[in-house]
């Protein structure tokens, strides 16, 4: 069983009464669907946010990159915040005030740890290509020892984390607003895959 | 003319020799296409990253929310990093090592400032609904004085900022790798809008 997720003082930034959850399965599903995340760390006392690919394996998410990567270096043994967000819809109400978006997001907090074991790194990098295209790890050459040494993998455990979800139609406009002659509803949006382009 | 963009010590985290640019038009185009951004700030010495809607108007980007919003409060007169990222493709090479993504991202650094002037706030909130659906600000009721007072708008000037772009096919696999019997190329991805669902 994974550790139960923790709600802490800083998870409040990603909370809203009726939209927040610390359900692990919900968190995992969002992490597994999101192709990229945004990683936040502190450099010289100020915040830095950088987008990057990632993958969840078991009870942690993993970042990777070159051993010269500045962002990764700034996450090892340091506090990190990671957010992964899926946009599901544009919510148009009769009033500008009630416009919103449908989305599913996860925010987690952890300290980064470099994964040293080559077998563990290989497994994580295989999971990463499988996330991009199912079964891809059996349809490409996996990293050799030199490539593994050139790749830094950073682990962030999924413990202090939560999800936030908004779905469904706009909040109903009330009174006179409900009778305004404007269209209201949701424009669904999703990340669509196009026709593959061979190299 | 907008101020020229600044490359600074901390923009190095979002730099890579052949993929970085400080061209303002490139930065603006990415900010205008991205529906959400991820905002990073420091709370109790540790980083926090939160997703949120945003809009660019002229030489700044704007966040908004309830006057009780914890994230917004943490950005006013404080250092903020904001990242907006568009995913354009999954890049599959014959080797796992050369897998990548095509993307366009902007990372900026600024100090937040609360916009107090009701007319300025109204203009920004109109731009925000127009970003969701072109012309929407003329097809809904705009905020009244009470709604404007209930909405906090935070400005982040676009000065210390840069874009990073990867496009095109995978790096060519070399030597024996080039002869591996695996498919290589790009699977395009894009945020697609579906059939509107009336409320």
């Amino acid at each position: 069983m994974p550790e139960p997720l923790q709600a802490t003082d800083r998870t409040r930034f990603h909370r809203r009464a009726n939209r927040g959850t610390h359900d692990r399965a919900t968190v995992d599903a969002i992490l597994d669907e999101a192709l990229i995340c945004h990683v936040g760390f502190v450099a010289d006392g100020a915040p830095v946010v950088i987008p990057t690919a990632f993958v969840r394996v078991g009870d942690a998410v993993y970042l990777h990159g070159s051993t010269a990567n500045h962002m990764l270096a700034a996450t090892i043994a340091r506090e990190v915040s990671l957010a992964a967000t899926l946009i599901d819809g544009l919510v148009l109400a009769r009033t500008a005030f009630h416009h919103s978006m449908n989305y599913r997001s996860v925010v987690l907090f952890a300290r980064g740890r470099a994964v040293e074991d080559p077998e563990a790194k290989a497994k994580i990098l295989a999971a990463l290509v499988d996330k991009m295209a199912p079964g891809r790890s059996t349809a490409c050459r996996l990293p050799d020892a030199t490539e593994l040494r050139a790749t830094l993998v950073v682990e962030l455990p999924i413990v202090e984390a939560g999800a936030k979800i908004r779905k469904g139609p706009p909040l109903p406009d009330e009174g006179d607003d409900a009778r305004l002659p404007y269209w209201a509803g949701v424009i669904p949006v999703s990340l669509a895959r196009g026709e593959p382009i061979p190299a």
Side-chain angles (χ1 to χ4, degrees), chain A:
Chain A
M1 284 289 289
E3 282 189 73
L5 295 179
Q6 289 174 9
T8 61
D9 196 47
R10 58 189 174 178
T11 64
R12 77 180 183 278
F13 290 108
H14 189 241
R15 197 161 54 206
R16 187 168 152 164
N18 54 345
R19 293 183 188 164
T21 171
H22 292 274
D23 174 60
R24 176 64 194 271
T26 304
V27 165
D28 284 1
I30 295 167
L31 294 172
D32 292 351
E33 184 173 339
L35 291 170
I36 62 160
C37 66
H38 284 78
V39 172
F41 53 91
V42 178
D44 298 328
V48 181
V49 178
I50 299 291
T52 189
F54 77 109
V55 66
R56 180 187 70 88
V57 179
D59 297 333
V61 294
Y62 295 91
L63 313 176
H64 80 292
S66 150
T67 48
N69 186 296
H70 291 292
M71 179 269 284
L72 291 177
T75 66
I76 295 170
R78 303 264 299 280
E79 289 292 332
V80 174
S81 178
L82 179 150
T85 306
L86 303 161
I87 310 175
D88 293 328
L90 305 171
V91 180
L92 309 186
R94 289 179 179 82
T95 59
F97 193 69
H98 279 168
H99 278 56
S100 186
M101 281 193 207
N102 285 336
Y103 60 86
R104 289 165 290 153
S105 56
V106 165
V107 171
L108 73 83
F109 302 92
R111 291 176 82 86
R113 180 185 77 83
V115 177
E116 306 287 357
D117 176 51
E119 278 184 42
K121 285 167 75 170
K123 185 180 157 196
I124 292 155
L125 296 171
L128 196 73
V129 295
D130 282 335
K131 185 179 184 180
M132 292 173 68
R136 185 68 188 169
S137 66
T138 61
C140 66
R141 179 178 66 68
L142 292 173
D144 61 25
T146 306
E147 291 168 341
L148 282 179
R149 272 194 303 274
T151 306
L152 187 55
V153 174
V154 173
E155 176 180 86
L156 300 169
I158 306 167
V159 177
E160 187 179 346
K164 199 170 150 193
I165 295 173
R166 193 215 184 275
K167 57 186 173 183
L171 286 177
D173 292 306
E174 292 172 351
D176 289 347
D177 287 335
R179 289 182 293 276
L180 289 169
Y182 302 127
W183 188 87
V186 174
I187 303 172
V189 297
S190 61
L191 205 65
R193 298 187 179 212
E195 273 305 304
I197 303 165

